């Protein structure tokens, strides 16, 4: 297998260092006879990816060179039948030099030539496309070559104009990660198309994960036209915007001011009416209470009507916000009791991580701890989303609020009732 020359000492990309030439046999044939000769010679024709097996003859524009496979040292190596085809047509066999350069090799081949395998665990060539940005998560053992890696990725992917590397975990407050530009321009404002919607955002200041598009589409399909959805950690709108465009009424929130700004931008970009998508910029727990209050006031406080779904796509800590649902509707219990037939309480879709060998048990215990009462297994569903790291999986637990949850007493209130001297829990910001 052909490979570019090894350049393990390279620290600054030198494209001229990857030239390679080799000689092969070539059959001189009139241009009109090329196709027939290729069929006759079949597997003895040079077959290399991204390289034509036909070259121009340097002495005549009416003659072409059909290149033979590189391991053939002389025409006698052909079978007698194939050699007879060449002889009967009186075709000349010549030596031809094939020259390959940097543009010929793939990113994987170039990086294998530069990075010594005994120094790293593996050679990186994969990345996530975020519009014009190639987003990489490089391990520290690759840092000595990070700028070369970025430049090679930039060179080999024509739709990419910036290559960035994540250099820390997601910001604990505003849900974005710090990054460095490895190659290309520093413009981080990009546009992504997903679910027949356009999303614009500054990738350096908000959270976006293109790998979650299937999960976005899965949940949006569960929302029916004219239903009410409360998106607690909406980001720039990957759930809220397509749901609104579908005819769902969405109250959408994010604590990050930049996410809130781009959520409003994407609402306008996709021509969504104000009545379909209501953006908020609040703490997650505060938003849940405010959205329920605003909806109740909009309904006139005379009949029971609330959200059909709550979406909580913040897998690192969303479970910890479930306490906001305990007793959330206690002031509306009389309206609920008066309704006939009894309406369904909202479905909660809560994303979370788990490292447990028993994910269902682990997630159930954590959910019930924060919400203060068990959920109904008959109306719940645990959906595997994806593996995010070794022994770390992302799930979505969907369950319907029970009357005990919706009209009950919060954990903090129960603690206060049992121990009045216990100080109240400090309000925690969304993360």
């Amino acid at each position: 297998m052909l490979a570019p020359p090894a350049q393990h000492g390279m620290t600054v990309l030198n494209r001229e260092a990857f030239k390679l030439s080799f000689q092969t046999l070539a059959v001189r044939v009139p241009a009109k006879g090329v196709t027939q000769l290729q069929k006759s010679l079949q597997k003895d024709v040079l077959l290399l990816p991204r390289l034509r097996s036909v070259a121009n003859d340097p002495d005549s524009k009416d003659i072409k060179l059909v290149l033979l496979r590189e391991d053939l040292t002389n025409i006698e190596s052909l079978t007698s039948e194939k050699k007879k085809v060449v002889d009967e047509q009186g075709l000349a066999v010549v030596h031809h030099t094939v020259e390959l350069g940097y543009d010929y090799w793939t990113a994987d081949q170039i990086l294998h030539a530069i990075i010594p395998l005994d120094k790293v665990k593996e050679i990186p060539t994969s990345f996530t496309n975020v519009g014009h940005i190639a987003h990489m998560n490089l391990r520290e053992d690759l840092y000595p070559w990070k700028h070369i890696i970025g430049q090679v990725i930039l060179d080999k992917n024509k739709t990419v104009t910036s290559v960035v590397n994540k250099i820390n975990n997601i910001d604990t407050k505003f849900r974005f990660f710090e990054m460095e530009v490895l190659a290309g321009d520093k413009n981080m404002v990009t546009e992504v198309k997903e679910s027949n919607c356009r999303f614009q955002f500054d990738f350096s200041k908000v959270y976006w994960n293109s790998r979650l598009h299937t999960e976005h589409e899965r949940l949006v399909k569960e929302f029916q036209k004219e239903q009410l959805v409360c998106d607690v950690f909406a980001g720039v709108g990957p759930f809220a915007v397509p749901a609104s465009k579908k005819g769902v009424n969405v109250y959408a929130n994010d604590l990050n001011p930049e996410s809130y700004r781009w959520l409003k931008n994407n609402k306008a970009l996709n021509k969504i009416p104000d009545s379909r998508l209501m953006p908020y910029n609040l703490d997650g727990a505060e938003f849940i209470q405010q959205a329920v209050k605003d909806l109740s006031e909009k309904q006139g406080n005379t009949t029971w009507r609330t959200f059909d779904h709550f979406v909580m796509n913040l897998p690192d800590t969303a479970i910890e916000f479930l306490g906001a649902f305990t007793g959330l509707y206690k002031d509306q219990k009389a309206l609920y009791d008066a309704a006939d037939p009894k309406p369904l309480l909202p479905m909660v879709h809560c994303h979370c991580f788990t490292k447990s060998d028993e994910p269902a048990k682990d997630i159930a215990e954590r959910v019930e701890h924060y919400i203060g009462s068990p959920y109904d297994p008959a109306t719940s569903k645990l959906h595997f989303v994806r593996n995010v790291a070794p022994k770390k999986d992302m799930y979505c637990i969907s369950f319907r609020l029970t009357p005990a949850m919706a009209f009950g007493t919060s954990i903090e209130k129960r603690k206060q009732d049992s121990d009045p001297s216990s100080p109240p829990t400090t309000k925690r910001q969304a993360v």
Side-chain angles (χ1 to χ4, degrees):
M1 181 178 292
L2 288 177
Q7 303 292 340
H8 290 170
M10 184 175 288
T11 56
V12 177
L13 184 62
N14 176 13
R15 297 172 182 82
E16 295 300 312
F18 299 98
K19 291 181 178 179
L20 178 73
S21 63
F22 64 92
Q23 277 203 336
T24 185
L25 295 179
V27 181
R28 297 183 78 245
V29 60
K32 62 182 180 181
V34 167
T35 301
Q36 186 57 49
L37 182 63
Q38 286 179 310
K39 289 181 180 179
S40 299
L41 298 180
Q42 295 179 340
K43 294 182 180 179
D44 288 311
V45 173
L46 180 68
L47 292 175
L48 288 177
R50 305 176 308 283
L51 187 66
R52 294 189 64 209
S53 60
V54 178
N56 293 325
D57 185 274
D59 299 324
S60 174
K61 64 180 182 179
D62 297 322
I63 299 295
K64 296 292 182 182
L65 301 179
V66 175
L67 309 184
L68 303 183
R69 68 176 198 266
E70 64 271 27
D71 61 316
L72 283 177
T73 57
N74 57 70
I75 198 66
E76 303 301 325
S77 300
L78 292 175
T79 64
S80 58
E81 183 179 352
K82 292 180 180 180
K83 187 174 180 299
K84 183 179 178 182
V85 170
V86 175
D87 291 342
E88 286 184 346
Q89 296 185 44
L91 303 177
V93 178
V94 298
H95 288 280
H96 177 74
T97 300
V98 177
E99 295 182 345
L100 305 176
Y102 176 81
D103 290 342
Y104 172 76
W105 310 110
T106 65
D108 182 70
Q109 289 173 316
I110 293 291
L111 294 177
H112 270 84
I114 294 173
I115 304 172
L117 286 173
D118 61 337
K119 302 291 186 181
V120 299
K121 290 184 179 179
E122 61 182 1
I123 304 297
T125 53
S126 64
F127 57 87
T128 301
N129 264 117
V130 185
H132 68 275
I133 302 167
H135 168 218
M136 307 191 79
N137 291 329
L138 296 181
R139 300 180 311 276
E140 287 190 17
D141 61 346
L142 290 162
Y143 281 9
W145 300 276
K146 61 183 181 180
H147 292 293
I148 284 184
I149 292 169
Q151 190 60 57
V152 171
I153 295 299
L154 185 68
D155 289 346
K156 299 298 180 178
N157 296 274
K158 301 309 178 185
T159 61
V160 170
T161 60
S162 298
V163 182
V164 302
N165 179 46
K166 172 183 172 182
I167 57 177
N168 69 354
N169 293 325
I170 294 174
D171 178 90
T172 55
K173 186 175 182 181
F174 289 144
R175 296 183 70 202
F176 66 90
F177 52 78
E178 192 175 347
M179 64 179 71
E180 60 179 336
V181 177
L182 300 180
D185 66 56
K186 292 179 168 41
N187 175 27
M188 293 294 105
V189 176
T190 189
E191 180 171 317
V192 174
K193 292 183 180 179
E194 183 178 291
S195 301
N196 295 317
C197 298
R198 294 165 61 198
F199 297 92
Q200 294 176 346
F201 48 86
D202 186 332
F203 189 50
S204 67
K205 295 179 180 179
V206 305
Y207 179 80
W208 178 272
N209 191 335
S210 297
R211 295 176 182 174
L212 291 175
H213 71 276
T214 301
E215 178 64 3
H216 298 153
E217 292 176 352
R218 182 188 73 86
L219 269 187
V220 171
K221 285 180 180 178
E222 294 196 18
F223 308 151
Q224 303 302 313
K225 190 173 182 179
E226 300 301 335
Q227 281 191 328
L228 289 159
V229 171
C230 191
D231 192 352
V232 184
F233 310 108
V236 300
F239 287 110
V241 170
S244 300
K245 201 169 182 180
K246 179 181 178 179
V248 179
N249 302 299
V250 183
Y251 288 53
N253 171 72
D254 204 277
L255 180 65
N256 183 349
E258 281 293 314
S259 296
Y260 172 67
R261 180 169 77 88
W262 288 106
L263 173 63
K264 292 192 294 181
N265 175 85
N266 294 331
K267 172 185 174 180
L269 185 66
N270 290 278
K271 300 179 180 179
I272 295 171
D274 290 342
S275 59
R276 286 290 180 200
L277 177 56
M278 285 63 75
Y280 288 72
N281 180 210
L282 298 171
D283 163 84
E286 182 183 344
F287 165 67
I288 292 172
Q289 297 171 359
Q290 187 64 48
V292 168
K293 179 183 177 181
D294 290 350
L295 179 60
S296 177
E297 291 178 353
K298 187 176 181 180
Q299 299 293 331
N301 295 312
T302 57
T303 57
W304 171 269
R305 180 73 173 100
T306 191
F307 293 100
D308 299 284
H309 301 270
F310 284 87
V311 179
M312 305 181 72
N313 182 29
L314 187 63
D316 196 43
T317 56
I319 283 179
E320 298 173 26
F321 285 82
L322 291 177
F325 291 105
T326 307
L328 181 63
Y329 293 103
K330 61 184 178 182
D331 294 339
Q332 299 181 47
K333 189 173 188 302
L335 294 177
Y336 176 82
D337 291 340
D340 185 24
K342 281 289 176 288
L344 291 174
L345 288 168
M347 286 291 295
V348 176
H349 308 277
C350 182
H351 291 87
C352 57
F353 294 133
T354 181
K355 295 181 179 180
S356 174
D357 293 332
E358 299 180 90
K361 180 181 178 183
D362 171 59
I363 293 169
E365 288 176 350
R366 288 156 58 202
V367 167
E368 292 174 3
H369 168 75
Y370 283 100
I371 207 163
S373 60
Y375 56 79
D376 180 8
T379 61
S380 68
K381 179 176 67 174
L382 185 63
H383 174 76
F384 173 78
V385 178
R386 69 187 186 103
N387 174 258
V388 296
K391 297 184 178 180
K392 183 178 181 180
D393 295 324
M394 179 177 173
Y395 282 84
C396 178
I397 175 69
S398 297
F399 63 93
R400 191 174 297 282
L401 291 180
T402 64
M405 296 172 182
F407 308 115
T409 306
S410 69
I411 294 175
E412 277 73 19
K413 182 65 168 62
R414 288 200 296 270
K415 286 180 179 178
Q416 284 288 307
D417 290 343
S418 62
D419 183 8
S421 64
S422 175
T425 302
T426 302
K427 178 182 175 182
R428 184 170 53 81
Q429 290 293 304
V431 295

